[in-house]
Protein backbone atom coordinates (compact mmCIF):
# COMPACT_ATOMS: atom_id res chain seq x y z
CA UNK A 1 0.00 0.00 0.00
CA UNK A 2 1.35 3.40 -0.97
CA UNK A 3 -0.06 6.63 0.43
CA UNK A 4 0.54 9.95 -1.30
CA UNK A 5 -0.21 13.01 0.84
CA UNK A 6 -0.56 16.46 -0.67
CA UNK A 7 -2.15 19.85 -0.10
CA UNK A 8 0.14 21.36 2.48
CA UNK A 9 1.37 24.92 2.29
CA UNK A 10 2.02 28.18 4.09
CA UNK A 11 -1.03 30.12 5.26
CA UNK A 12 -2.05 32.79 7.75
CA UNK A 13 -3.79 32.09 11.02
CA UNK A 14 -7.51 31.73 10.46
CA UNK A 15 -7.11 30.37 6.92
CA UNK A 16 -8.10 26.93 5.68
CA UNK A 17 -6.32 24.09 3.92
CA UNK A 18 -7.43 20.71 2.63
CA UNK A 19 -5.00 17.84 2.71
CA UNK A 20 -5.44 14.83 0.46
CA UNK A 21 -4.14 11.31 0.83
CA UNK A 22 -4.47 9.05 -2.20
CA UNK A 23 -4.07 5.35 -1.55
CA UNK A 24 -2.85 2.80 -4.07
CA UNK A 25 -5.46 0.23 -3.10
CA UNK A 26 -8.48 -1.35 -4.74
CA UNK A 27 -10.91 -0.08 -2.14
CA UNK A 28 -9.96 2.44 0.51
CA UNK A 29 -13.20 1.63 2.29
CA UNK A 30 -11.51 -1.53 3.58
CA UNK A 31 -8.92 0.45 5.54
CA UNK A 32 -9.04 2.42 8.75
CA UNK A 33 -7.42 5.76 7.94
CA UNK A 34 -5.79 8.42 10.05
CA UNK A 35 -3.98 11.72 10.02
CA UNK A 36 -1.08 12.48 12.33
CA UNK A 37 1.28 15.42 12.61
CA UNK A 38 4.77 16.03 13.86
CA UNK A 39 6.19 19.40 14.80
CA UNK A 40 9.96 19.97 15.10
CA UNK A 41 11.33 18.42 18.27
CA UNK A 42 8.04 16.74 19.12
CA UNK A 43 6.65 13.26 18.79
CA UNK A 44 4.17 12.36 16.10
CA UNK A 45 0.66 12.98 17.41
CA UNK A 46 -2.80 11.88 16.47
CA UNK A 47 -5.03 14.35 14.63
CA UNK A 48 -8.03 12.52 13.15
CA UNK A 49 -9.21 9.03 12.25
CA UNK A 50 -11.87 7.40 10.13
CA UNK A 51 -13.02 3.81 10.48
CA UNK A 52 -13.31 1.33 7.65
CA UNK A 53 -16.75 0.72 6.12
CA UNK A 54 -18.94 2.62 8.54
CA UNK A 55 -18.35 6.34 8.92
CA UNK A 56 -16.98 6.65 12.44
CA UNK A 57 -14.65 9.55 13.08
CA UNK A 58 -12.41 10.59 15.97
CA UNK A 59 -10.48 13.78 16.56
CA UNK A 60 -7.81 15.07 18.87
CA UNK A 61 -9.21 17.61 21.30
CA UNK A 62 -6.92 20.27 19.87
CA UNK A 63 -8.57 20.10 16.43
CA UNK A 64 -12.13 19.13 17.29
CA UNK A 65 -14.60 21.50 15.67
CA UNK A 66 -11.98 22.85 13.25
CA UNK A 67 -10.79 19.80 11.29
CA UNK A 68 -12.86 17.27 9.38
CA UNK A 69 -11.72 13.91 8.03
CA UNK A 70 -13.58 12.45 5.08
CA UNK A 71 -13.24 9.79 2.44
CA UNK A 72 -14.02 9.55 -1.29
CA UNK A 73 -14.24 5.86 -2.08
CA UNK A 74 -14.41 6.42 -5.83
CA UNK A 75 -11.08 8.25 -5.73
CA UNK A 76 -9.48 6.09 -3.03
CA UNK A 77 -8.66 9.33 -1.26
CA UNK A 78 -8.97 10.57 2.31
CA UNK A 79 -9.13 14.26 3.08
CA UNK A 80 -8.42 16.45 6.06
CA UNK A 81 -10.24 19.76 5.88
CA UNK A 82 -8.54 22.19 8.24
CA UNK A 83 -10.33 25.42 9.11
CA UNK A 84 -9.47 28.24 11.49
CA UNK A 85 -5.83 27.26 11.41
CA UNK A 86 -3.60 28.32 14.28
CA UNK A 87 0.16 28.71 14.53
CA UNK A 88 0.26 25.63 16.75
CA UNK A 89 -1.08 23.56 13.85
CA UNK A 90 2.27 24.00 12.10
CA UNK A 91 3.74 20.55 11.48
CA UNK A 92 4.39 17.88 8.91
CA UNK A 93 1.14 16.01 8.40
CA UNK A 94 1.11 12.29 7.68
CA UNK A 95 -1.67 10.04 6.53
CA UNK A 96 -1.77 6.42 7.61
CA UNK A 97 -3.72 3.28 6.82
CA UNK A 98 -4.53 0.17 8.80
CA UNK A 99 -5.58 -2.95 6.93
CA UNK A 100 -8.09 -4.30 9.37
CA UNK A 101 -11.21 -6.41 9.35
CA UNK A 102 -12.65 -4.59 12.34
CA UNK A 103 -14.51 -1.32 12.49
CA UNK A 104 -13.54 1.44 14.85
CA UNK A 105 -10.96 4.17 14.71
CA UNK A 106 -7.22 4.02 15.43
CA UNK A 107 -5.55 6.82 17.37
CA UNK A 108 -2.00 5.61 17.97
CA UNK A 109 1.00 5.37 15.66
CA UNK A 110 1.49 1.70 16.46
CA UNK A 111 -1.94 0.76 15.14
CA UNK A 112 -1.20 1.74 11.56
CA UNK A 113 0.54 -0.45 9.00
CA UNK A 114 1.22 2.04 6.22
CA UNK A 115 2.35 5.67 6.15
CA UNK A 116 2.55 8.42 3.58
CA UNK A 117 5.54 10.69 3.10
CA UNK A 118 4.13 13.75 4.87
CA UNK A 119 3.17 17.22 3.73
CA UNK A 120 4.27 20.44 5.45
CA UNK A 121 1.70 22.84 6.89
CA UNK A 122 2.98 26.18 8.13
CA UNK A 123 0.64 28.65 9.80
CA UNK A 124 1.85 32.17 10.46
CA UNK A 125 0.23 34.31 13.12
Amino acid sequence: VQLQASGGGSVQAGDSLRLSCKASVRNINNYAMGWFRQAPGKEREFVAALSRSVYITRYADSVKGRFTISRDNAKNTVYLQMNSLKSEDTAVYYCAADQTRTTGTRATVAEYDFWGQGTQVTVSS
Side-chain angles (χ1 to χ4, degrees):
V1 175
Q2 291 187 327
L3 302 175
Q4 182 69 41
S6 62
S10 296
V11 298
Q12 297 291 317
D15 286 350
S16 298
L17 276 176
R18 189 179 77 159
L19 305 183
S20 299
C21 175
K22 186 169 179 58
S24 64
V25 297
R26 294 186 68 178
N27 188 353
I28 199 172
N29 201 40
N30 291 334
Y31 294 79
M33 301 297 296
W35 285 98
F36 289 73
R37 66 187 181 187
Q38 188 165 17
K42 295 188 176 182
E43 293 188 353
R44 193 168 298 189
E45 66 173 5
F46 169 73
V47 175
L50 178 61
S51 66
R52 74 182 297 264
S53 301
V54 296
Y55 222 87
I56 302 172
T57 59
R58 189 198 298 190
Y59 298 93
D61 288 344
S62 59
V63 307
K64 204 171 293 184
R66 299 188 298 123
F67 291 11
T68 303
I69 188 171
S70 62
R71 179 178 61 219
D72 186 331
N73 293 334
K75 296 181 178 180
N76 278 333
T77 300
V78 171
Y79 302 98
L80 184 68
Q81 177 67 42
M82 306 186 295
N83 298 330
S84 302
L85 282 162
K86 305 175 181 180
S87 57
E88 50 263 45
D89 295 320
T90 295
V92 176
Y93 283 70
Y94 298 89
C95 62
D98 175 34
Q99 190 172 16
T100 175
R101 295 182 180 273
T102 64
T103 56
T105 54
R106 313 284 189 264
T108 66
V109 171
E111 292 178 287
Y112 287 89
D113 302 314
F114 308 101
W115 292 85
Q117 84 288 3
T119 184
Q120 176 71 46
V121 172
T122 302
V123 184
S124 302
S125 58

